Amino acid sequence: MATMTIKGKQMRSVDVDWKEFYYTNCALISPSNVDQEIGWVKEELKKIGVAYKFLRSTVENDWYPHYVHNLDNLMRYGGCFPAIHTQADIRRTKLIGTTHVYEGGCMLVRARDDIYRMTDLKGKRIGLSKSLNVIKNDWWRVQEEQGIELMLRMNGMTRDDVEIVDFPYPDDWYDKPEMLMPMENPSELWLKRDIKHDLGYRPLEMPLLEGKIDAIYTQSKAFQHLQEQTSKVKAIENLSNYPDWTLQGANVPATMTVTEIACQEHPEIIVAMMKAMIKVGRWSNEHKHAAAVILNKGTYYLDAEDTYRGIKQVDMVPTLSPYNLEALQINKDFMLSHGYIENDFDVFEWAAPEFLEKAAAELAEEEWELRKTSRIPSVTTLEDAMTARLG
C-alpha cells in the first residue's frame, strides 16, 4: 500500500499497477459523471487490457487522492480549484480536458427580509465558510470569496461596505468509518449522503436562517434552486445573468486531470480514455434529457428536469479551448492573489492537448472505416451462403 503524508496526516492508496486505472468525480456536470453509469471508458480500456475502477472501490484507497492526486494511475474529473491547488503546490499533473457550465453564483438572503438589492446589504453580515480540514483544498471558501467580491464590485461596492463573517466547520466526513466502506460507483456516495438535502454541503444555510448572518453565497442554478424551494431564502443577485463570461468561475470549468507520470509512461491509457469521453460527450449532447436523468443522481440541481435546463447549452465533449483555459487562468490568479495557493504556473502550459487530439483522430479514422463499408455487402460464395442457411 502506498502512502503520502501532508501536514502530519498519512493518506493511503493502492500500490500502482498499470493494468488498472482509477477515476474519481466531483458532483458536477461532466461526461465522466454520465460514463459512470454507461461504462464506455471501461469498455475502451478493456480493449487494451486495463481495468477501470472507481477510486473508492477498494478499501486500500481513502478519499484524499480526489484532492491531492496521490495516486499515479488516477483520473480526476471535477471542480477546478482542487486541481489548480494540486498542480501549484503538491505534484505535477496534466490537464487533458475541461467542461464549462457558465455559472457564477448567487447571493442569498432570508426570503422575508427587507433586502432586495446588493446595496441593501451595506453594513450587514455576509458569511464565509472555512473548512478545518487542512489536507484538502477549501474549494467552497474559494468560490464564496471570489463570488462575493465580484457581486460587490458589480454593484459599486467593496468588502469595506459589508462585514465578512468566518464560519469554521469540521469538514471531516472523509474519515468516518461508514464513508470508508467500498463503493463501486460514485452514485453510492450520494445515496449515503443524500446529496440533495445534506446540509454538510451547505454549511452556511443554517447560520443564515438562524440570523447569525444576513447573506450567503451559493452556486447559481444548482444549489440555488434546491435552497429556494425550501421557501426560506431568495436570491438578490446572480452572476450567471451577466453577459461577461469572466464572471462565471464558480469552481468551473470542470477539469479532467491525470498525473504527469501516467502521461509519460502510459499515454495509450490516456488516449483510450479520451476516446470514450468524446463518445460519451457526443451522446450526452444528442440525448440531453437522458444525460440529465443520469447526472441528477450526482448533482445539486433540484431534479432531472432542472438538471436538463442546467446542461441544455453545455457542450459535454471535453475540450481545451482557449476560452476555457483563460477561465481557469482567471481562477488560478484569484487563488494566488488570495493565498489559496503558494506557487504560480501557466494554465496554457499545464494543458496537454495531444491526448485529446490523438483520441479524436483515432475516432474519426475508426468511424470512417465503419461508414465506408457499412453499405457494401461482403462477397460470399454460393457454397458458403448455403451452409449459413437456417431451417
Side-chain angles (χ1 to χ4, degrees):
M1 182 182 296
T3 60
M4 176 186 280
T5 301
I6 296 180
K7 296 185 178 180
K9 180 175 177 60
Q10 190 176 74
M11 291 152 286
R12 65 178 191 273
S13 60
V14 297
D15 292 324
V16 175
D17 177 355
W18 292 108
K19 290 298 182 183
E20 56 188 23
F21 208 84
Y22 290 87
Y23 74 96
T24 177
N25 295 338
C26 277
L28 46 61
I29 302 304
S30 76
S32 188
N33 269 325
V34 176
D35 179 69
Q36 71 182 43
E37 300 295 334
I38 63 179
W40 289 356
V41 176
K42 187 174 184 178
E43 290 178 5
E44 202 66 41
L45 290 188
K46 192 172 183 179
K47 294 176 186 177
I48 60 172
V50 176
Y52 191 56
K53 304 176 181 179
F54 176 47
L55 171 68
R56 288 287 302 116
S57 62
T58 171
V59 293
E60 292 178 275
N61 290 328
D62 59 22
W63 287 102
Y64 287 102
H66 180 84
Y67 292 101
V68 298
H69 226 125
N70 58 308
L71 182 59
D72 291 347
N73 51 336
L74 171 73
M75 182 280 293
R76 177 190 183 275
Y77 213 136
C80 67
F81 294 138
I84 290 170
H85 174 226
T86 295
Q87 173 66 7
D89 297 341
I90 299 174
R91 71 172 306 183
R92 298 284 74 78
T93 61
K94 289 292 185 181
L95 177 67
I96 58 174
T98 63
T99 313
H100 206 348
V101 294
Y102 325 110
E103 296 182 5
C106 296
M107 188 68 74
L108 294 186
V109 299
R110 290 176 291 274
R112 300 305 301 271
D113 280 4
D114 190 27
I115 299 174
Y116 297 93
R117 300 168 300 174
M118 285 291 296
T119 51
D120 293 335
L121 289 177
K122 285 187 176 181
K124 296 190 181 296
R125 302 158 298 174
I126 300 178
L128 189 60
S129 67
K130 182 177 177 60
S131 169
L132 296 180
N133 189 322
V134 297
I135 307 302
K136 58 176 283 294
N137 168 261
D138 196 353
W139 61 273
W140 251 125
R141 184 180 176 90
V142 181
Q143 67 178 298
E144 287 171 0
E145 188 163 18
Q146 183 186 47
I148 289 167
E149 288 190 1
L150 288 172
M151 284 185 270
L152 289 170
R153 184 172 185 178
M154 294 304 291
N155 289 273
M157 301 167 67
T158 70
R159 291 176 70 130
D160 292 337
D161 291 309
V162 296
E163 180 185 354
I164 304 295
V165 183
D166 269 353
F167 276 87
Y169 69 108
D171 199 14
D172 59 357
W173 63 266
Y174 312 92
D175 300 316
K176 292 182 178 179
E178 64 270 23
M179 301 308 299
L180 292 174
M181 299 295 289
M183 301 177 189
E184 293 301 318
N185 185 298
S187 294
E188 290 187 39
L189 168 62
W190 313 128
L191 289 173
K192 286 177 178 287
R193 292 209 61 182
D194 187 8
I195 188 170
K196 309 288 188 184
H197 303 101
D198 190 334
L199 291 184
Y201 294 113
R202 290 139 60 180
L204 294 177
E205 190 169 323
M206 287 310 298
L208 173 64
L209 296 179
E210 293 167 355
K212 296 176 181 177
I213 43 182
D214 302 298
I216 62 172
Y217 167 95
T218 198
Q219 290 181 343
S220 51
K221 302 179 187 175
F223 275 111
Q224 173 198 357
H225 295 168
L226 272 176
Q227 291 169 297
E228 287 176 331
Q229 284 301 307
T230 66
S231 79
K232 298 176 181 178
V233 296
K234 64 181 181 182
I236 61 167
E237 178 61 292
N238 189 337
L239 291 173
S240 66
N241 291 337
Y242 288 94
D244 186 345
W245 63 268
T246 66
L247 301 177
Q248 318 306 324
N251 204 20
V252 289
T255 55
M256 185 180 183
T257 52
V258 290
T259 62
E260 194 171 66
I261 292 172
C263 293
Q264 292 169 348
E265 297 189 6
H266 291 280
E268 74 283 358
I269 295 178
I270 313 304
V271 172
M273 184 164 52
M274 295 310 298
K275 286 170 67 175
M277 286 296 183
I278 292 171
K279 290 192 289 186
V280 173
R282 290 174 179 172
W283 180 88
S284 299
N285 285 343
E286 293 171 6
H287 307 282
K288 284 285 175 68
H289 275 105
V293 171
I294 295 173
L295 290 167
N296 181 56
K297 297 175 66 175
T299 64
Y300 304 108
Y301 289 89
L302 182 63
D303 51 29
E305 186 60 29
D306 193 40
T307 305
Y308 167 72
R309 288 191 291 269
I311 69 171
K312 192 174 180 180
Q313 306 300 326
V314 173
D315 183 2
M316 297 290 290
V317 177
T319 180
L320 288 171
S321 68
Y323 180 101
N324 284 7
L325 294 181
E326 188 60 37
L328 289 174
Q329 192 93 299
I330 291 168
N331 281 349
K332 182 268 299 178
D333 289 345
F334 176 84
M335 294 178 73
L336 184 66
S337 67
H338 285 65
Y340 290 106
I341 57 175
E342 297 176 6
N343 300 294
D344 197 7
F345 66 93
D346 189 323
V347 168
F348 286 82
E349 294 178 2
W350 182 32
E354 60 268 26
F355 302 103
L356 192 58
E357 291 168 359
K358 184 172 176 54
E362 289 187 10
L363 272 179
E365 186 176 340
E366 291 173 10
E367 289 166 1
W368 171 242
E369 288 298 318
L370 287 173
R371 285 177 179 273
K372 76 178 185 180
T373 59
S374 62
R375 296 184 181 276
I376 303 175
S378 58
V379 178
T380 306
T381 66
L382 177 61
E383 182 179 347
D384 288 338
M386 293 302 291
T387 60
R389 293 180 65 189
L390 297 177

